[in-house]
Amino acid sequence: MVDVAAKELAVARFLKEHPPPRQVDSDHPALRGCAEVAWSDIPRCLAAIPSLFRGLLDEAAAPEAAPVLTNVLMDGVFHLSPAMPAALPFLLRLVADPDVSVRSSLLDVVVIAAELSQPVDADNDRAVLLLGHDSDHPEREQCRAVFSEHASLLRVQSLPSADG
């Protein structure tokens, strides 16, 4: 499990290098409602998530914001953070926006969230050992509900290929 203190340090470092502008463009369609989410009420979640999302819209800050946000939204290699269901609608809308410079990186996060939100077969000891029981990870079912609710966003325009 990723240490919350390590996440806080990474976010603080990012915000020190890329302080949020005084006049924040919170009207970007992809981020509508982000500031209203009670991020700090979510277990092991950081209140600075809206700043990281705004950083994804800044072409200079985006390459650094994407991995920091990914780290915040994951609790380990095989575990989603309890914040992922709340973040997923914003990630999906950012991935659907062709003007977001790091959308291919964000798509990777969405794909990982989709894979890790799949139900775990309780009879598969290896899967349970790696991923834990579904009853211990309500974020899986919550993410599946978000994917279902935002299915229309999953029909994303093609992304640029790695070779050009």
Side-chain angles (χ1 to χ4, degrees):
M1 189 168 289
V2 178
D3 183 1
V4 174
K7 290 180 182 186
E8 288 174 340
L9 182 61
V11 170
R13 191 174 305 127
F14 171 79
L15 292 175
K16 182 178 180 185
E17 292 173 15
H18 303 280
R22 290 194 192 279
Q23 194 89 10
V24 177
D25 182 14
S26 59
D27 290 337
H28 190 283
L31 299 185
R32 283 201 187 114
C34 184
E36 287 76 37
V37 174
W39 297 104
S40 58
D41 290 348
I42 299 171
R44 300 184 313 278
C45 182
L46 307 179
I49 285 182
S51 296
L52 295 173
F53 274 120
R54 286 190 299 272
L56 296 171
L57 298 173
D58 178 339
E59 206 164 309
E64 292 179 51
V68 173
L69 181 64
T70 301
N71 184 41
V72 167
L73 295 177
M74 299 296 296
D75 271 354
V77 176
F78 299 112
H79 298 284
L80 302 171
S81 158
M84 183 62 84
L88 206 46
F90 307 108
L91 288 171
L92 290 168
R93 290 194 294 256
L94 288 166
V95 167
D97 183 342
D99 294 329
V100 173
S101 64
V102 292
R103 66 191 280 236
S104 62
S105 296
L106 299 180
L107 180 60
D108 291 342
V109 176
V110 168
V111 169
I112 290 167
E115 185 63 32
L116 293 178
S117 66
Q118 295 302 310
V120 173
D121 179 0
D123 295 330
N124 182 333
D125 293 338
R126 184 178 175 101
V128 171
L129 180 64
L130 286 173
L131 303 168
H133 290 280
D134 284 343
S135 60
D136 296 330
H137 296 280
E139 64 277 1
R140 291 181 191 148
E141 184 176 344
Q142 294 164 355
C143 283
R144 289 193 303 271
V146 172
F147 279 117
S148 178
E149 181 182 339
H150 293 85
S152 65
L153 292 174
L154 299 175
R155 293 178 190 88
V156 180
Q157 300 170 0
S158 64
L159 295 170
S161 67
D163 45 76

